Amino acid sequence: MSLLTYNDAIEYINNIHTLTAKLALTRMRKLLEKLDNPENKLKVIQVAGTNGKGSTCMMLSEVLCASGLNVGLITSPHLSKFNERYKINGVDMDDEDFLKYTAIVKSKCDELITENESHPSVFEVITAIGFCYFSEQPIDILIVEVGIGGRLDATNVFDKPELSIITSISFDHLDVLGKTIKEIANQKGGIIKMNCPTVLCVQEYKDVVTTITDICKKYKSSLYYAESINSRMLKQTLLETVFSIKSDYYSYENVKLKMIGEYQIKNTHNVLLAVEALRGIGYKITNEHVYEGLSKSFWPGRMEIIKTDPYIILDGAHNVGGVEMLSESVKRFFPANRVIVVTSILREKEHEKVLKIMEGFASKIVLTETKGQTTRCVRVDDLYESIKGSNKLIYRETEWIKAIHSANNLATKRDVIIYAGSLFLVANIRQYYLNLV
């Protein structure tokens, strides 16, 4: 039994100051070696990309659970509680296990320090906690969401994953991954391994397809890629999305999702391609398993309606591509409503471009920060400088709690309030409203 309390564990993680400004795997491999390489005991599906990673991971997890497998899942960040990052068959890791494996990883980090090694980063620590935990659980497969990039990400320590999935790639983390789309795609493609199949979702940029195709050829990886998908919307409400979808690889009618947002159709495509790739290596997944798993899929903080009168929506859109998809959903579901956007944006994002897209669908914008959660937020005054020439009404509230009150005071019952731009902000807002219930 660990001597750590839950608060001790969270404080330890939050106080790790080592940053991965320069990505490298050396430190992670040293930590895993001290932990007896738990990653070597796991069958893994890795998921990299810029947008749609979390939803793809969750939907695939549900499909594999429906097929009878015990499925582990590592995603980030969490919205309410740290344990949410680690799930088995949709159930969060319990507090006792979280404390146990945090204590184990902390002890090995302490050993590294005594050996004059640098302390592993926050993401390396939380990834190692997950690998230790899942290596001792009765799971059949583990789905791992990659953090930043892929090639040098802390999760990329598997020599032979069952499958590598790459969702849509766009410009993000330019300071770390590169300035061109080819450089970014090369980093994301680093999860592709010798003789292991790869799924590539529909891409906006041809250079992404070329780069990933070349990497697959180099590593003799069977590539599952459809240049286009044909989908037909059958029903779309704020409670349900029903559609047909087909590509060169599959055909499904009357697919039902609890989630809204047209981008979820693209995420479904990722999952359906992954099913074909897994069938190709022997996994027994029927179409009935696919329908069942998708119908159960839900991902909090992604076009999530948490209140009506007025509508309050949470969306984790935090980069240009994500906010563009949010814009499409807003225009479809709320064409006649006045929209108030509350946003906080991290420094590594292209905040000027993100704000410009928000201007396109918002009547009023409330700028805020998430101090206490992260030191990576763009300051409210700096955000304001990027948008002060706008013809929209712009408000500034440094404290996110005050931003909630400001938005509520601005809204009528027919308006829509959307919180987006940072998952840290979405997590705070979601927890705030959950506590009111």
Side-chain angles (χ1 to χ4, degrees):
M1 177 70 71
S2 166
L3 297 178
L4 287 176
T5 66
Y6 191 87
N7 287 339
D8 289 338
I10 298 300
E11 184 178 2
Y12 162 66
I13 292 170
N14 286 341
N15 286 336
I16 297 172
H17 297 299
T18 308
L19 300 176
T20 50
K22 184 176 181 180
L23 295 177
L25 280 171
T26 307
R27 192 167 50 200
M28 184 64 177
R29 292 194 184 281
K30 288 180 179 178
L31 174 58
L32 291 175
E33 186 176 348
K34 282 191 169 292
L35 292 164
D36 295 326
N37 293 108
E39 76 282 5
N40 292 339
K41 303 173 186 176
L42 297 165
K43 283 188 175 182
V44 170
I45 296 172
Q46 284 185 275
V47 183
T50 305
N51 291 303
K53 290 183 296 182
S55 295
T56 299
C57 287
M58 176 275 303
M59 294 162 77
L60 182 57
S61 172
E62 290 286 2
V63 169
L64 294 181
C65 285
S67 76
L69 298 178
N70 289 318
V71 184
L73 177 63
I74 300 181
T75 57
S76 64
H78 60 282
L79 290 181
S80 298
K81 196 172 183 181
F82 210 95
N83 313 40
E84 293 173 18
R85 295 168 180 256
Y86 318 102
K87 299 180 189 293
I88 295 178
N89 297 343
V91 178
D92 297 348
M93 175 198 287
D94 63 32
D95 288 357
E96 185 175 343
D97 279 329
F98 175 61
L99 298 182
K100 172 184 174 181
Y101 291 102
T102 300
I104 290 171
V105 172
K106 180 180 182 302
S107 69
K108 300 305 179 183
C109 290
D110 291 342
E111 287 182 19
L112 288 172
I113 296 300
T114 63
E115 296 167 6
N116 294 319
E117 300 283 353
S118 58
H119 194 292
S121 71
V122 173
F123 192 69
E124 288 164 352
V125 168
I126 62 181
T127 300
I129 291 170
F131 290 168
C132 289
Y133 168 65
F134 287 113
S135 70
E136 297 184 357
Q137 307 306 311
I139 63 171
D140 299 302
I141 197 161
L142 174 64
I143 301 173
V144 179
E145 179 185 0
V146 173
I148 296 177
R151 185 172 304 280
L152 299 176
D153 186 75
T155 63
N156 196 29
V157 292
F158 303 99
D159 294 328
K160 194 171 177 58
E162 296 288 280
L163 177 65
S164 300
I165 301 174
I166 299 175
T167 67
S168 64
I169 294 177
S170 58
F171 291 93
D172 199 15
H173 297 290
L174 304 183
D175 55 331
V176 177
L177 302 181
K179 303 299 183 184
T180 69
I181 201 69
K182 286 190 70 173
E183 289 175 323
I184 295 170
N186 188 59
Q187 288 296 323
K188 304 284 186 183
I191 67 169
I192 298 169
K193 303 295 167 56
M194 184 66 71
N195 296 318
C196 300
T198 298
V199 161
L200 178 65
C201 93
V202 175
Q203 299 292 327
E204 178 181 357
Y205 301 99
K206 289 184 179 179
D207 279 349
V208 170
V209 179
T210 301
T211 300
I212 299 302
T213 300
D214 288 345
I215 296 173
C216 285
K217 288 178 179 177
K218 178 180 178 181
Y219 289 101
K220 300 178 182 178
S221 169
S222 299
L223 176 62
Y224 290 75
Y225 170 68
E227 289 189 10
S228 63
I229 56 175
N230 296 312
S231 62
R232 182 165 57 94
M233 191 67 69
L234 303 176
K235 179 182 177 183
Q236 193 171 32
T237 70
L238 291 174
L239 299 176
E240 184 181 48
T241 303
V242 184
F243 57 96
S244 64
I245 184 170
K246 64 180 180 178
S247 72
D248 293 339
Y249 291 88
Y250 58 76
S251 179
Y252 291 85
E253 297 287 339
N254 293 304
V255 177
K256 295 181 180 180
L257 294 179
K258 295 178 183 177
M259 300 176 290
I260 62 175
E262 293 195 29
Y263 56 85
Q264 294 297 0
I265 295 177
K266 294 180 181 179
N267 293 333
T268 301
H269 167 69
N270 303 343
V271 173
L272 297 178
L273 271 185
V275 167
E276 295 306 311
L278 290 170
R279 285 171 173 168
I281 56 174
Y283 282 78
K284 306 300 182 184
I285 308 168
T286 67
N287 284 9
E288 288 71 24
H289 296 148
V290 172
Y291 284 114
E292 179 184 345
L294 292 176
S295 70
K296 292 180 178 178
S297 298
F298 172 71
W299 200 229
R302 279 72 173 178
M303 280 300 290
E304 180 184 7
I305 299 170
I306 57 172
K307 194 176 182 296
T308 58
D309 287 337
Y311 277 106
I312 297 179
I313 296 174
L314 307 180
D315 194 88
H318 57 277
N319 55 36
V320 171
V323 179
E324 285 176 340
M325 289 187 283
L326 171 61
S327 175
E328 291 176 9
S329 296
V330 171
K331 290 172 183 176
R332 170 172 286 276
F333 289 107
F334 304 105
N337 300 78
R338 189 175 64 168
V339 176
I340 300 166
V341 171
V342 182
T343 188
S344 169
I345 305 174
L346 300 187
R347 285 198 304 268
E348 61 265 28
K349 309 302 176 181
E350 296 179 286
H351 64 271
E352 293 182 2
K353 292 182 180 179
V354 167
L355 289 171
K356 190 68 177 176
I357 298 167
M358 289 178 173
E359 281 186 83
F361 61 85
S363 300
K364 301 176 182 179
I365 299 176
V366 182
L367 307 173
T368 190
E369 299 175 20
T370 49
K371 289 180 178 177
Q373 289 292 110
T374 178
T375 58
R376 292 154 50 198
C377 284
V378 179
R379 293 174 60 249
V380 162
D381 289 344
D382 292 334
L383 287 176
Y384 181 73
E385 286 298 315
S386 300
I387 200 174
K388 66 180 181 181
S390 171
N391 59 358
K392 304 297 173 72
L393 293 172
I394 310 299
Y395 301 83
R396 287 178 279 181
E397 293 288 357
T398 303
E399 298 178 24
W400 62 268
I401 287 283
K402 291 183 178 179
I404 293 176
H405 301 316
S406 177
N408 288 339
N409 289 335
L410 291 169
T412 68
K413 287 189 175 182
R414 292 196 69 253
D415 293 339
V416 179
I417 302 173
I418 298 177
Y419 292 89
S422 164
L423 278 168
F424 291 102
L425 174 66
V426 167
N428 283 342
I429 304 303
R430 193 170 193 273
Q431 192 62 43
Y432 173 87
Y433 278 101
L434 286 177
N435 288 339
L436 293 181
V437 176

